[in-house]
């Protein structure tokens, strides 16, 4: 029970976010945006989840390279998988919102493109894993690729969209960071936004740990056969 | 340190000598460049500057994949082991990076020449554009050299290179295309130097990563 406090916290936070996300008072910014600004509590945390999970994946890839234990490889692979799922959810929640706000689900915005590139890179990671049958070699080479891809991706993901004009906040000539323009937010929204980020990230970690446990059990079963 | 430098130079000389004797990569890629650009010329004549720019970088990408993919194939496993025992993994990858960068610079220059010959010359600032195509060629060759090393280990060269490389290279190509736009119009873009610095920073990052990560690929 004590060990699982964070799962309870995750559950409580997400209940809070799901209820208050629809009830909290939001400022009416312009005729178009209206209540859809509530997407902040559901769309933006997906990206936080993705980036945190992918960072954890790289952390374990480096750990594997320093000390080649199969457990670390499972951690790296499953955190990358979880990151992809959350990235995909981020794209979908963004596309539904953009369909009403920007007129089409996909408008080739720098951040949309960046997200799509991130997903492609990590799908390539799984293709690379699938192409090798030798487990030791697969773990080592995919760990190398994981570190390399992460280092190539994230500088561009963090720097490039700020240099160009964008429909998202935080582009060239618009205020704020890539997540939100602080002028559009109220203190009540901020109080809900950070619990949402923590809650969704915890959910992502929860899903991933379940998959890791499954992998480890499958490994164990294979050893006994 | 001097010893290390000598190792690297010897390895580069070895690659260069192999290249001059076999003349396989150079003429193969040259033919590839020339025929691709000729096909583009036949199908669209002289394109607009924006299209010219996009085509140039896309063709650079494919040239790079073709030129660099071979770099870990021409040596068989026994010989690799030999290099490893006499020179060490870091010297080996550094020599490959430098050799491929030189090769790619030459290829960039040649394809730029054929581009201007067949597709017209919309460039206003030629010297800057040549400099940028060198920088772009070096960046592309660094990334693909490292990916070729990974793909060589996975034993599925061509397909894997494309799958791994193309998503990773997109941000760089976007940057290159955007910087290159400045050579086509007399108006100076804002944030141009920022982007060039970002590109140089990325190149340095790739070299560092290659030096750190390559020994792990080599351990067999």
């Amino acid at each position: 029970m004590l060990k699982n406090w964070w799962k309870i916290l995750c559950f409580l936070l997400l209940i809070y976010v799901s209820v208050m996300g629809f009830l909290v008072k939001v400022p009416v910014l312009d005729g178009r945006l209206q209540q859809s600004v509530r997407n902040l509590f559901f769309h933006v945390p997906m990206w936080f989840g993705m980036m945190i999970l992918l960072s954890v994946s790289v952390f374990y890839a480096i750990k594997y390279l320093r000390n080649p234990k199969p457990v670390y490889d499972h951690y790296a692979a499953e955190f990358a998988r979880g990151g992809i799922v959350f990235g995909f959810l981020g794209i979908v929640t963004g596309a539904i919102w953009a369909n009403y706000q920007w007129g089409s689900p996909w408008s080739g915005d720098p951040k949309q493109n960046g997200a799509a590139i991130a997903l492609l890179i990590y799908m390539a990671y799984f293709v690379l894993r699938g192409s090798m049958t030798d487990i030791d070699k697969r773990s080592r080479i995919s760990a190398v690729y994981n570190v390399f891809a992460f280092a190539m991706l994230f500088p561009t993901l963090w720097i490039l969209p700020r240099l160009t004009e964008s429909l998202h906040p935080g582009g060239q000539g618009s205020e704020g960071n890539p997540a939100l323009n602080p002028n559009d937010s109220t203190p009540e929204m901020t109080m809900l936004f950070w619990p949402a980020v923590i809650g969704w990230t915890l959910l992502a970690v929860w899903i991933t740990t379940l998959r890791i446990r499954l992998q480890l059990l499958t490994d164990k079963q294979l050893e006994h056969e | 340190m001097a010893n290390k430098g000598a190792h690297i130079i010897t390895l580069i000389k070895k690659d260069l000598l192999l290249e001059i004797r076999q003349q396989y990569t150079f003429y193969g890629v040259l033919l590839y460049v020339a025929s691709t650009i000729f096909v583009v010329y036949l199908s669209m004549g002289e394109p607009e500057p924006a299209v010219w720019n996009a085509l140039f970088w896309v063709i650079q990408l494919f040239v790079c994949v073709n030129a660099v993919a071979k770099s870990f194939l021409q040596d068989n496993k026994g010989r690799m082991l030999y290099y490893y025992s006499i020179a060490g993994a870091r010297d080996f990858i550094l020599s490959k990076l430098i050799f491929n960068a030189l090769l790619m610079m030459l290829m960039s220059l040649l394809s730029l020449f054929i581009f201007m010959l067949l597709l017209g010359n919309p460039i206003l600032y030629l010297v800057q554009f040549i400099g940028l195509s060198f920088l772009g060629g070096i960046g592309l060759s660094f990334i693909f050299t490292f990916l070729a090393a990974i793909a060589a280990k996975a034993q599925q060269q061509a397909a894997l290179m494309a799958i791994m490389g193309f998503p990773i290279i997109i941000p760089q190509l976007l940057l290159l295309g955007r910087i290159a736009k400045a050579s086509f119009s007399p108006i100076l873009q804002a944030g141009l130097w920022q982007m060039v610095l970002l590109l140089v920073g990325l190149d340095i990052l790739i070299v560092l990563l290659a030096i750190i990560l390559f020994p792990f690929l080599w351990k067999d």
Side-chain angles (χ1 to χ4, degrees):
Chain A
M1 198 63 184
L2 270 176
K3 225 174 89 187
N4 291 329
W5 61 272
W6 58 276
K7 291 180 184 167
I8 298 166
L9 177 70
C10 165
F11 181 73
L12 292 176
L13 280 175
L14 286 182
I15 290 280
Y16 170 65
V17 167
S18 312
V19 175
M20 286 307 282
F22 293 100
L23 293 179
V24 72
K25 222 169 132 58
V26 294
V28 176
L29 296 166
D30 57 37
R32 280 176 73 92
L33 204 58
Q34 295 278 355
Q35 299 290 323
S36 77
V37 74
R38 293 180 194 281
N39 203 20
L40 173 72
F41 311 125
F42 304 99
H43 168 64
V44 182
M46 297 298 150
W47 299 118
F48 275 86
M50 181 190 89
M51 287 199 180
I52 291 169
L53 257 64
L54 293 181
S55 309
V56 174
S57 168
V58 168
F59 174 75
Y60 278 105
I62 295 171
K63 250 185 127 150
Y64 181 87
L65 289 178
R66 293 177 65 94
N67 181 14
K69 277 190 196 157
V71 191
Y72 296 149
D73 182 51
H74 284 316
Y75 270 83
E78 293 306 329
F79 271 103
R81 211 189 294 272
I84 289 186
V85 171
F86 267 65
F88 194 71
L89 287 175
I91 284 193
V92 172
T93 48
I96 295 170
W97 182 86
N99 196 21
Y100 297 103
Q101 289 301 328
W102 298 343
S104 69
W106 193 271
S107 22
D109 185 65
K111 264 151 229 158
Q112 288 180 329
N113 291 339
I117 294 168
L119 289 189
L120 283 176
I121 287 181
Y122 278 90
M123 283 175 193
Y125 171 71
F126 284 102
V127 172
L128 179 69
R129 288 182 71 86
S131 74
M132 285 172 282
T133 42
D134 184 316
I135 293 173
D136 268 354
K137 199 165 147 187
R138 181 176 74 194
S139 309
R140 201 176 61 238
I141 291 172
S142 60
V144 168
Y145 177 74
N146 196 341
V147 176
F148 188 69
F150 185 86
M152 287 298 98
L153 171 68
F154 279 77
T156 44
L157 222 52
W158 284 323
I159 298 169
L160 202 55
R162 290 171 203 252
L163 295 178
T164 52
E165 286 118 31
S166 166
L167 292 163
H168 279 84
Q172 200 178 48
S174 79
E175 269 194 61
N177 53 60
L180 184 73
N181 183 343
N183 294 341
D184 296 350
S185 176
T186 62
E188 292 91 65
M189 282 171 72
T190 318
M191 276 305 292
L192 196 51
F193 173 67
W194 290 109
V197 167
I198 297 168
W200 288 113
T201 306
L202 283 179
L203 182 69
V205 174
W206 192 354
I207 295 170
T208 306
T209 47
L210 285 179
R211 282 205 58 107
I212 292 168
R213 266 169 71 188
L214 180 69
Q215 287 287 336
L216 291 178
L217 287 175
T218 319
D219 270 13
K220 219 178 199 171
Q221 200 183 22
L222 281 175
E223 268 172 34
H224 283 293
E225 263 170 18
Chain B
M1 204 58 216
N3 193 18
K4 242 179 157 40
H7 276 160
I8 295 171
I9 291 170
T10 316
L11 280 169
I12 295 173
K13 260 191 199 154
K14 183 263 317 177
D15 272 339
L16 209 63
L17 215 74
L18 265 179
E19 193 50 58
I20 292 167
R21 291 224 181 113
Q22 298 183 332
Q23 301 191 332
Y24 167 59
T25 318
F26 181 75
Y27 285 108
V29 175
L30 190 62
L31 197 65
Y32 181 86
V33 176
S35 49
T36 320
I37 298 171
F38 192 62
V39 169
V40 172
Y41 163 71
L42 288 180
S43 55
M44 49 194 323
E46 292 195 2
E48 307 253 306
V51 180
W52 195 99
N53 189 22
L55 279 173
F56 181 77
W57 293 111
V58 170
I59 288 180
Q60 287 302 299
L61 171 65
F62 281 93
V63 166
C64 187
V65 173
N66 276 283
V68 172
K70 296 177 189 82
S71 61
F72 286 88
L73 269 191
Q74 56 188 199
D75 298 315
N76 61 27
K77 214 167 181 179
R79 223 192 297 170
M80 287 290 195
L81 199 66
Y82 173 62
Y83 296 142
Y84 182 56
S85 62
I86 56 167
R90 286 198 174 129
D91 296 352
F92 188 74
I93 188 73
L94 270 174
S95 77
K96 284 285 183 201
L97 284 173
I98 295 170
F99 176 76
N100 282 331
L102 289 174
L103 184 69
M104 211 32 221
M105 274 161 78
L106 183 66
M107 287 301 163
S108 305
L109 206 60
L110 280 173
S111 54
L112 182 62
F113 176 70
I114 305 175
F115 248 80
M116 292 201 301
L117 199 71
L118 289 178
L119 302 181
N121 178 13
I123 302 169
L124 288 178
Y125 304 102
L126 188 61
V127 179
Q128 283 90 330
F129 193 87
I130 291 175
L132 184 66
S133 64
F134 278 168
L135 188 62
I138 291 172
L140 289 174
S141 71
F142 281 172
I143 284 195
F144 278 102
T145 306
F146 191 70
L147 291 177
I150 294 182
K153 280 280 149 182
Q155 279 143 6
Q156 296 192 9
Q157 275 279 316
L160 255 186
M161 281 263 292
I163 293 168
M164 292 191 298
F166 288 6
I168 290 190
I169 206 78
I170 297 171
Q172 274 218 15
L173 279 181
L174 280 178
L175 266 177
L176 282 169
R178 200 163 289 149
I179 301 169
K181 260 188 210 153
S183 338
F184 297 102
S185 73
I187 310 151
L188 201 66
Q189 256 182 313
L192 192 68
W193 284 107
Q194 231 175 342
M195 289 195 278
V196 174
L197 278 181
L198 186 59
L199 210 57
V200 174
L202 268 177
D203 286 354
I204 295 171
L205 184 69
I206 300 165
V207 174
L208 285 180
L209 278 172
I211 293 173
I212 295 168
L213 292 175
F214 189 71
F216 291 108
L217 280 180
W218 228 229
K219 257 195 263 165
D220 242 359

